[in-house]
């Protein structure tokens, strides 16, 4: 459920007609609905109402815009970050350092140091050596770094291979069969306060079964750890809940997710941590674009839009589907291919798709673009970095400027010896 609805034949974000935003900001532009973010943040929390001790850390990489983070911080969410840059955003949005979880398979020594100095609440360790380095850095500061060990449960998440993270051949986590011994060794280190286990098996999961299987495995590991006398007070269950990109798709019901978590974890006696990303932000944004040309093709016309793979990479990266709708539909339909201006065949959003009829100059929107949209944008083909707008009721504001190619060019230089 989101707040992008037609009123009087015009697609609105909450109470703002999208053409008003196009006129003020231009296209392409991401448009986010604050009330959809709030709705999802509350629905996720409500689904887990039966879990007493929990910490919700929004996975920033889904949509790290600082205004988006502020909306979610106001909903009581902490943050899951995967780089020092994301940590800086979370802090800038006013999320307390103690509510920040630092995940990621390649945290550098510099990033670990910065996070220690910031006093972040939890480090999710990906390998034993990282734990040793973190312990030493913390010890040198007279600290004990709060940490959990990320385990790879070897579960197939049943999602796209490029966003599966919980198979043993994936780069993430430590093999579950090594977890007990490694936990014991890391728990001994002076600079570490080892508190538990983390998992995250993948993203865009439309079925709860793989999550349940992974949680069951973690439950067995938890029992084993305690049998060996280890202290465990936190289990981080990661993120991964999917959203419906197609009207025909059913995403997991958050109440059903909560009921499953409750059932599997009822005897765990720990604080549970959650890192939802896509399920919070996915449906809270669209990428608005203008049709540049409708170009005849051999089979179907190409609708060439002014948004491209550099603005919304998911179709090129994961063959992802994004619904495409006219902002002012005229009632007619057409079958078309939808593509951007970038010089790659991969810059194609859809082939042979039945869509609202559009003409050159019309506004259209890719739906469900609030997560892994702007956060993955680049300036490929020397295009502008796409701007972002936040709508809240009848108000809207540009929350990220369009970064023009001239600004990027200004950061480049020609060496003296090549100057003319
Ligand atoms: C990406 C990521 C998440 C969020 O995943 P979603 O599918 O967006 O919910 C959570 N935890 C970790 C460690 C991640 O890498």
């Amino acid at each position: 459920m989101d707040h992008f609805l037609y009123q009087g034949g015009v697609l609105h974000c909450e109470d703002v007609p999208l053409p008003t935003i196009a006129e003020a900001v231009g296209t392409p532009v991401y448009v986010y609905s604050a009330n959809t973010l709030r709705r999802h943040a509350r629905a996720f929390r409500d689904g887990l109402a039966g879990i007493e001790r929990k910490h919700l850390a929004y996975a920033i990489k889904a949509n790290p815009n600082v205004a988006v983070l502020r909306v979610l911080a106001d909903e009581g969410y902490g943050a899951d970050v995967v780089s020092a840059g994301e940590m800086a955003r979370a802090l800038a949005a006013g999320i307390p350092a103690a509510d920040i979880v630092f995940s990621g398979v390649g945290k550098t020594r510099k990033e670990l140091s910065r996070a220690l100095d910031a006093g972040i609440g939890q480090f999710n360790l990906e390998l034993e050596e990282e734990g040793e380095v973190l312990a030493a850095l913390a010890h040198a500061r007279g600290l004990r770094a709060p940490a959990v060990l990320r385990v790879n449960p070897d579960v197939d998440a049943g999602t796209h291979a490029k966003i599966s993270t919980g198979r043993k051949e994936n780069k993430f986590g430590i093999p579950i069969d090594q977890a007990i011994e490694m936990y014991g060794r890391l728990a001994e280190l002076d600079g570490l306060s080892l508190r538990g286990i983390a998992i995250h098996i993948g993203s865009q999961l439309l079925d709860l079964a793989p999550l349940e299987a992974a949680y069951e495995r973690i439950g067995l590991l938890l029992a084993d750890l305690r049998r060996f006398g280890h202290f465990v007070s936190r289990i981080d269950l990661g993120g991964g809940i999917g959203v419906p990109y197609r009207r025909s798709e059913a995403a997991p019901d958050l109440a059903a997710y909560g009921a499953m978590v409750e059932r599997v974890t009822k005897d765990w006696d720990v604080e549970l941590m959650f890192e939802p990303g896509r399920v919070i932000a996915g449906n809270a944004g669209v990428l608005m674009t203008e049709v540049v040309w409708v170009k005849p093709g051999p089979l179907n016309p190409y609708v060439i839009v002014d948004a491209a793979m550099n603005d919304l990479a998911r179709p090129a990266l994961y063959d992802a589907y994004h619904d495409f709708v006219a902002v002012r539909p005229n009632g007619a339909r057409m079958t078309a291919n939808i593509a951007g201006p970038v010089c790659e065949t991969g810059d194609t959003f859809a082939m042979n798709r039945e869509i609202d009829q559009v003409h050159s100059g019309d506004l259209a929107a890719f739906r469900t673009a609030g997560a892994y949209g702007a956060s993955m944008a680049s300036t490929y083909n020397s295009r502008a970095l796409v701007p972002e707008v936040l709508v809240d009721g009848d108000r809207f504001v540009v929350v990220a400027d369009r970064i023009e190619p001239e600004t990027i060019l200004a950061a480049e230089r020609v060496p003296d010896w090549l100057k003319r």
Side-chain angles (χ1 to χ4, degrees):
M1 187 50 209
D2 61 47
H3 293 269
F4 293 91
L5 298 170
Y6 288 95
Q7 296 176 36
V10 179
L11 188 58
H12 283 55
C13 177
E14 304 194 15
D15 298 329
V16 180
L18 287 184
T20 305
I21 294 173
E23 214 164 283
V25 188
T27 56
V29 57
Y30 277 95
V31 181
Y32 307 135
S33 154
N35 283 302
T36 308
L37 290 166
R38 294 185 186 113
R39 179 196 284 261
H40 294 326
R42 288 170 200 175
F44 191 84
R45 184 189 299 282
D46 290 349
L48 297 170
I51 310 283
E52 228 171 274
R53 281 184 292 150
K54 58 178 175 282
H55 178 74
L56 305 180
Y58 165 65
I60 282 191
K61 72 178 187 288
N63 186 328
N65 181 278
V66 69
V68 167
L69 298 185
R70 177 61 64 86
V71 170
L72 296 173
D74 287 348
E75 291 295 318
Y77 275 68
D80 175 71
V81 305
V82 295
S83 70
E86 286 193 348
M87 181 182 79
R89 284 175 172 277
L91 293 170
I95 295 174
D99 293 342
I100 298 177
V101 175
F102 202 152
S103 298
V105 70
K107 300 187 266 319
T108 64
R109 287 156 179 79
K110 200 166 155 190
E111 286 179 315
L112 292 172
S113 302
R114 278 176 66 179
L116 276 172
D117 293 336
I120 71 135
Q122 178 174 300
F123 293 84
N124 289 9
L125 303 174
E126 289 266 357
L127 69 163
E128 185 164 4
E129 195 181 350
E130 184 190 16
E132 293 163 357
V133 168
L134 177 64
L137 291 169
H139 191 64
R141 290 166 168 78
L143 300 171
R144 285 174 85 90
V148 304
L149 189 56
R150 178 166 177 182
V151 166
N152 185 320
D154 194 24
V155 167
D156 186 351
T159 185
H160 191 282
K162 288 184 184 168
I163 47 175
S164 276
T165 56
R167 298 290 300 277
K168 63 174 183 291
E169 61 271 29
N170 297 143
K171 67 180 174 181
F172 298 99
I174 61 136
I176 191 160
D177 54 4
Q178 297 172 20
I180 296 177
E181 289 184 0
M182 199 180 293
Y183 198 97
R185 291 193 295 272
L186 289 172
E188 300 272 289
L189 299 177
D190 266 349
L192 224 50
S193 165
L194 197 60
R195 296 170 179 184
I197 295 291
I199 54 166
H200 173 70
I201 63 167
S203 197
Q204 183 53 14
L205 275 66
L206 291 176
D207 182 4
L208 293 178
L211 284 171
E212 181 163 359
Y215 296 176
E216 296 275 9
R217 283 186 192 190
I218 292 310
L220 296 175
L221 175 60
L222 170 64
D224 281 343
L225 285 167
R226 288 199 170 133
R227 196 165 321 123
F228 281 90
H230 295 307
F231 172 76
V232 184
S233 62
R234 285 182 184 176
I235 302 282
D236 185 336
L237 295 177
I241 304 281
V243 299
Y245 284 93
R246 299 168 195 259
R247 285 160 209 261
S248 61
E249 238 164 26
D253 174 64
L254 293 176
Y257 174 67
M260 182 274 279
V261 172
E262 243 179 280
R263 188 170 68 245
V264 175
T265 67
K266 66 177 182 307
D267 299 323
W268 285 14
D269 187 26
V270 292
E271 177 179 20
L272 290 177
M273 328 254 307
F274 299 87
E275 302 169 346
R278 191 187 309 266
V279 71
I280 305 290
N283 285 331
V286 302
L287 173 60
M288 180 161 48
T289 185
E290 188 178 303
V291 176
V292 185
W293 309 108
V294 178
K295 179 183 177 183
L299 207 56
N300 295 310
Y302 270 94
V303 171
I304 310 285
V305 295
D306 68 357
M309 64 189 286
N310 68 296
D311 306 306
L312 177 62
R314 298 186 66 259
L317 266 181
Y318 317 127
D319 298 315
Y321 180 101
H322 283 270
D323 211 2
F324 178 85
V325 295
V327 167
R328 287 192 191 91
N330 63 14
R333 306 282 287 170
M334 69 195 284
T335 300
N337 310 319
I338 308 163
V342 160
C343 297
E344 299 238 7
T345 300
D347 185 25
T348 302
F349 293 106
M351 291 296 286
N352 307 320
R353 172 103 58 98
E354 197 203 308
I355 57 171
D356 293 330
Q357 187 185 65
V358 287
H359 299 103
S360 166
D362 287 353
L363 292 172
F366 292 100
R367 301 189 66 123
T368 322
Y372 306 103
S375 64
M376 286 187 171
S378 75
T379 58
Y380 184 41
N381 273 211
S382 292
R383 290 166 50 82
L385 196 61
V386 60
E388 299 165 89
V389 164
L390 184 75
V391 174
D392 198 348
D394 60 4
R395 292 175 293 186
F396 74 92
V397 71
V398 177
V399 292
D401 291 340
R402 187 186 309 280
I403 309 288
E404 298 291 352
E406 292 72 23
T407 306
I408 293 163
L409 182 59
E412 299 179 18
R413 58 194 58 83
V414 174
D416 281 346
W417 65 90
L418 294 178
K419 282 200 176 133
R420 298 225 172 103

